[in-house]
Amino acid sequence: MLYLHPYKALTSDRTCVRYVKSLLLQQLGGGPSVFGTGDEKILALSGFYPEDWPAVNFLTLMLYRWKRGELDLPPVAAAPVVNERAFTGSPYGREGVDVYFDFLELKTREAREITAFYHKTRPNVVAVFLGGREFEVAATTDLAAQTLAVRKVTPSPHTPEGAATLKYSHALVFKIPPSPREFMPLTRQVADILRTAASLPPQERKAIKVEKKSVYLLHGGMEVGDGVVLDNDVYMYV
């Protein structure tokens, strides 16, 4: 796969993590986990489990087409393979933690790195791409669901889309089927959805002072005296 043309490689039924990351490094810059400059409207995440291979290929293909001028997208940063150990067959790694459910406690390096990037960019949208049987789109806020005419979901706050909804962002969940022949037309449809979602007003949260905990600082809090000021709702679940 490393020697194939990107269009052929990304519409195949296999994923090479090194190839995907190398391609996005060339196109978006950054890394080693999140590729982007830090001022993007959208943060896209994928690659939590082995069955997410269609989502990884699809997301990478969409971003490659965008950078080649074939798709109209707002600025996007991406972590195409968030949990490389699980994606390549080792369930959790040394921490014994499932990265997908670690976006509140932030025990894993990957979740901490992505969360730090998230607070740097404060994106309007967090888009999570997962493998699925059929193409599906869901949103985590009423406004996004109504505007995009998609199903609303309330994911666990421990997941990336759930944690994003408690912070500053609308979150979208895309299920990508293992049908590479459908990837090319679907990239245009998903790009249209992301473009509309990025134009939505950002989520607003009232700032509140909470007790001093290091995890609150990792979640974008500001230390003040004997506490931490947070402008998001993660404190209710940590």
Side-chain angles (χ1 to χ4, degrees):
M1 181 171 172
L2 286 170
Y3 305 102
L4 294 176
H5 190 280
Y7 290 110
K8 293 182 180 179
L10 299 172
T11 55
S12 73
D13 59 0
R14 308 175 91 181
T15 299
C16 174
V17 174
R18 186 171 61 169
Y19 179 84
V20 163
K21 290 190 171 184
S22 175
L23 188 62
L24 289 190
L25 177 62
Q26 295 172 25
Q27 300 295 321
L28 305 181
S33 294
V34 186
F35 298 90
T37 60
D39 57 357
E40 290 82 359
K41 285 275 194 178
I42 297 171
L43 176 59
L45 309 176
S46 190
F48 295 93
Y49 305 108
E51 57 268 28
D52 290 338
W53 70 263
V56 173
N57 284 7
F58 177 88
L59 173 60
T60 307
L61 175 65
M62 183 177 67
L63 296 177
Y64 181 71
R65 295 192 69 199
W66 166 50
K67 297 307 287 187
R68 287 178 60 86
E70 299 174 9
L71 292 176
D72 181 14
L73 272 175
V76 180
V81 183
V82 171
N83 190 355
E84 186 171 343
R85 293 184 300 274
F87 188 73
T88 55
S90 176
Y92 303 123
R94 287 174 297 183
E95 297 96 339
V97 178
D98 185 339
V99 176
Y100 182 71
F101 289 99
D102 186 41
F103 280 86
L104 274 185
E105 295 183 351
L106 303 180
K107 293 179 179 179
T108 59
R109 174 190 58 78
E110 295 90 344
R112 290 193 299 271
E113 181 179 337
I114 290 167
T115 300
F117 189 91
Y118 174 88
H119 286 288
K120 176 183 176 183
T121 61
R122 296 178 78 100
N124 277 31
V125 178
V126 170
V128 177
F129 289 79
L130 304 173
R133 288 188 175 184
E134 298 179 351
F135 178 68
E136 296 180 29
V137 187
T140 62
T141 64
D142 289 329
L143 181 59
Q146 292 166 7
T147 303
L148 300 171
V150 298
R151 182 168 61 97
K152 184 193 173 188
V153 294
T154 304
S156 164
H158 293 81
T159 63
E161 63 268 37
T165 307
L166 296 172
K167 296 176 182 176
Y168 332 111
S169 307
H170 305 280
L172 302 177
V173 182
F174 293 92
K175 297 284 186 71
I176 306 299
S179 308
R181 290 183 179 181
E182 300 177 18
F183 285 0
M184 291 295 278
L186 277 179
T187 56
R188 190 166 300 279
Q189 182 177 348
V190 172
D192 289 343
I193 292 170
L194 291 176
R195 192 167 60 250
T196 301
S199 67
L200 294 173
Q203 291 276 84
E204 294 184 359
R205 293 285 183 266
K206 183 178 179 180
I208 187 170
K209 184 178 178 181
V210 294
E211 64 180 304
K212 187 178 294 185
K213 287 185 179 180
S214 58
V215 71
Y216 292 149
L217 298 177
L218 294 175
H219 277 294
M222 181 175 65
E223 187 172 355
V224 288
D226 61 345
V228 174
V229 173
L230 278 175
D231 61 349
N232 61 66
D233 293 343
V234 297
Y235 68 94
M236 295 188 295
Y237 297 91
V238 171

